[in-house]
Structures are given as structure tokens and as C-alpha cells.
Amino acid sequence: MGRAPCCSKVGLHRGPWLPREDALLTKYIRDHGEGQWRSLPKRAGLLRCGKSCRLRWMNYLRPDIKRGNITPDEDDLIIRMHSLLGNRWSLIAGRIPGRTDNEIKNYWNTHLCKKLRNQGTDPNTHKKLPDDPAKESEKKKKKRSDKRKKKNRAESESERNRAESEKKILVYLPKPTRVTSLSSIPRTDSTLTLNSINSYSAAASTSKEKEKEVNLEGENQNDDNGFGFFGEMECSSVIPDHGTLEKVYEEYLQLLKVEENHDHDLDSFAESLLA
DNA sequence: AACTTTTTCAACCGCTCCCCA
DNA sequence: GTGGGGAGCGGTTGAAAAAGT
């Protein structure tokens, strides 16, 4: 269609966000809710394009984002989900409460790819690789980077915890996905549960979309991972506890059991997601 | 201590999808 | 049916930090 860029680049800030900009964006969304990204910067008094605002909010400022170490459980879940879905980061992120697609994508590229290679697995196909002589040096590198990473994450987590204890604001949490028609599962269905392949329920972020909330089979109003539809709620309550993650993981393990016996079913599931 | 290389991850870019007039 | 606009996604980039020499 040949459309213009989302914003005129002239006169707009780019690059790292300043604390003042973060504060303006957070305050605006706290007061008015999400959505209308294109016009949001102007209304919030920000010299940023809407896309940039959305990204900043989604990947960094959102109060339900979990920071800190990716746990072994999450690690494993990401790998398994990737083997099913490929680089569908938003779908994978939707299964891992509190993590963003960007974070998972970065984590995959910087850690899990190496990890899988070290284990002799092709990170793209998830199939066994032939023995690699460079394996040992990779292992050493990984050890180094993990050490560093651990340190960084510990620091950022403590900072985040401090920030969150200061925040505790009320926001209108977004729908995690687009509203879609009955006939298709959206490209990004971050609320989709493994048990709800046939009962996709879309949640809406804007009041307009809320009115259109779709529930295909009258079930799954409250998504089983606790991330279905959000109204106004205390942000801190959205941060998933260990139990939630456990639940997601157990659900996944159930699917894997099915996989053992019914490879075909699993293929169908993956195809249904990718359709 | 100084310089180079590697790693990390926030942010950007370009594209597609979906809705609506 | 068509095109424009908003939103979201995945790939890529580049600055900063860390590690290596």
C-alpha cells in the first residue's frame, strides 16, 4: 500500500528514554489507559512517535513485567514452546507470565541458542546436531556470559523491586491480543491456552474493543493462566506468582504427555496455532 | 592501564494484519 | 470491494558494558 512512516521523524526524540519521558508516559497511561498510540505522544506531551511509546510501555514500563532471572522452568518452557511454534515470540511470551516478547527473543538469541548448540541441538530445528569441535570453547564462553548475566540481573532486579514498591499504581491493563474474527486464531494470541485451542477468547483493551469482546464457546472467560481479560486492577496483583507459572508448566507437561502418545495431535495443535 | 573484542538488550524498522469508512 | 490508518510482530541495529589480551 505504500504508507508513510508511522510518524514524521522530524523533531522527535529517539534513542534511550529519559526518566522524565518514562514518568510522562506512565502517568498518562495511568490516567487514561492504553491505546490510541498514534495520538498518545501528543496528548501525553511526549516528543516520541506512538510506536516508540507503545514499545517502551509494553517492554519496560508495564507494571506486570517480571524482571530478573529467567528460571529454569521458564527456560525449559521457552525451548519447548519454540520447538512447537518457532520464532513466534509473542505467542511464547503469552505463555510465560510477566515476560515480554522482546525479552524472550533476546534471551533466546543470546542464551538459549548457545545452550541448545552446546547440548548438540540445532536451535532452529530442535534436532540433534553432529558433534562440533567448537563446542568446548562455546561452553567456556557461555560460562562467562552466564556469570556476568547473573550479576546484572541481580542488580536490575533489586532496582526493579525498589521501583515497583514505589509504583503500585492503578492502570487499565491491556488486552494481550487483537480482537479477531470467529474463523481464525490471530497471529498473536497471547491469551491462548494449550487447552483452549478451540475456544479462543479475545480480550479487549480499549473500551471500544471491550464492547466487542468475543467468546467463541462461552468458556475461558478467565484464562487459566490468569491473563485473560483485565479490567481495572492493582498492577501488583497481575504479577504471576510461582503457582501460576507452575500451572502453566503443568499444562504444558500434560501436552507433552499427549505428545508422547499422540504426535499427530500435537502437530495438529501447532498447526492450529500457526494457521 | 590501555586497547580490542564480545556480549547484551533496548530501541528501531519494515512489514503484515485487522478494522472501518 | 478497496484503501487508509492503527496496532502488533519479528528481525535487526547499535550503544554500553564486560571480558579478554
Side-chain angles (χ1 to χ4, degrees):
Chain A
M1 270 187 262
R3 43 182 305 202
C6 73
C7 59
S8 161
K9 304 281 186 289
V10 182
L12 293 184
H13 286 176
R14 296 183 62 195
W17 279 65
L18 304 171
R20 199 182 77 87
E21 292 177 305
D22 282 348
L24 277 173
L25 180 59
T26 304
K27 183 181 186 311
Y28 182 86
I29 292 176
R30 181 186 62 199
D31 293 343
H32 300 92
E34 289 183 33
Q36 307 289 311
W37 294 109
R38 201 177 166 92
S39 57
L40 183 148
K42 199 175 178 182
R43 286 182 279 133
L46 284 161
L47 286 168
R48 293 271 181 177
C49 79
K51 248 181 168 178
S52 183
C53 292
R54 181 188 157 273
L55 199 72
R56 182 65 176 171
W57 175 254
M58 293 297 191
N59 287 335
Y60 200 82
L61 297 175
R62 245 169 54 198
D64 57 322
I65 290 175
K66 187 164 73 177
R67 294 270 163 178
N69 290 329
I70 297 223
T71 65
D73 279 357
E74 290 174 317
D75 205 280
D76 190 45
L77 193 52
I78 292 169
I79 292 170
R80 288 169 186 275
M81 290 297 285
H82 186 272
S83 72
L84 266 179
L85 302 168
N87 296 357
R88 310 295 291 271
W89 306 118
S90 62
L91 266 179
I92 296 171
R95 299 299 312 166
I96 305 178
R99 303 290 184 188
T100 69
D101 53 357
N102 211 29
E103 185 181 16
I104 288 172
K105 182 172 61 184
N106 283 333
Y107 186 69
W108 175 267
N109 289 330
T110 57
H111 293 89
L112 296 181
C113 271
K114 290 174 197 164
K115 181 181 172 182
L116 287 178
R117 282 200 200 95
N118 288 338
Q119 291 172 350
T121 305
D122 185 332
N124 297 316
T125 63
H126 293 263
K127 290 176 181 168
K128 282 284 167 193
L129 283 170
D131 279 350
D132 183 358
K135 208 171 163 183
E136 282 307 309
S137 69
E138 282 288 324
K139 271 184 186 173
K140 282 182 185 173
K141 281 184 184 174
K142 185 184 182 307
K143 209 173 175 181
R144 283 203 311 262
S145 79
D146 282 354
K147 197 177 165 186
R148 237 186 311 133
K149 178 80 176 175
K150 212 172 179 179
K151 189 184 159 199
N152 288 344
R153 285 187 179 276
E155 283 170 2
S156 69
E157 188 171 18
S158 66
E159 190 158 329
R160 170 67 44 177
N161 288 341
R162 186 169 48 78
E164 274 178 4
S165 68
E166 288 167 3
K167 263 201 263 177
K168 293 238 173 181
I169 54 172
L170 283 171
V171 299
Y172 296 88
L173 286 169
K175 70 169 176 114
T177 182
R178 299 171 183 167
V179 174
T180 188
S181 66
L182 294 172
S183 59
S184 63
I185 294 172
R187 188 173 71 177
T188 299
D189 177 11
S190 50
T191 67
L192 188 69
T193 72
L194 298 173
N195 290 334
S196 55
I197 298 162
N198 297 318
S199 60
Y200 168 65
S201 172
S205 66
T206 65
S207 57
K208 197 175 174 185
E209 284 171 332
K210 277 175 188 171
E211 290 169 12
K212 292 190 220 161
E213 189 177 352
V214 178
N215 186 355
L216 298 185
E217 293 185 358
E219 63 179 70
N220 204 28
Q221 278 285 10
N222 297 310
D223 193 282
D224 63 355
N225 65 1
F227 277 75
F229 172 76
F230 298 113
E232 183 181 4
M233 61 174 71
E234 182 106 16
C235 308
S236 56
S237 70
V238 185
I239 298 171
D241 56 16
H242 182 65
T244 305
L245 188 58
E246 276 294 302
K247 201 172 173 183
V248 170
Y249 191 59
E250 273 172 26
E251 188 185 337
Y252 203 89
L253 289 178
Q254 278 178 11
L255 182 75
L256 292 174
K257 281 180 191 167
V258 173
E259 178 185 24
E260 285 167 11
N261 301 321
H262 305 286
D263 277 353
H264 177 73
D265 291 348
L266 187 56
D267 288 346
S268 304
F269 162 64
E271 280 166 18
S272 75
L273 286 180
L274 294 169

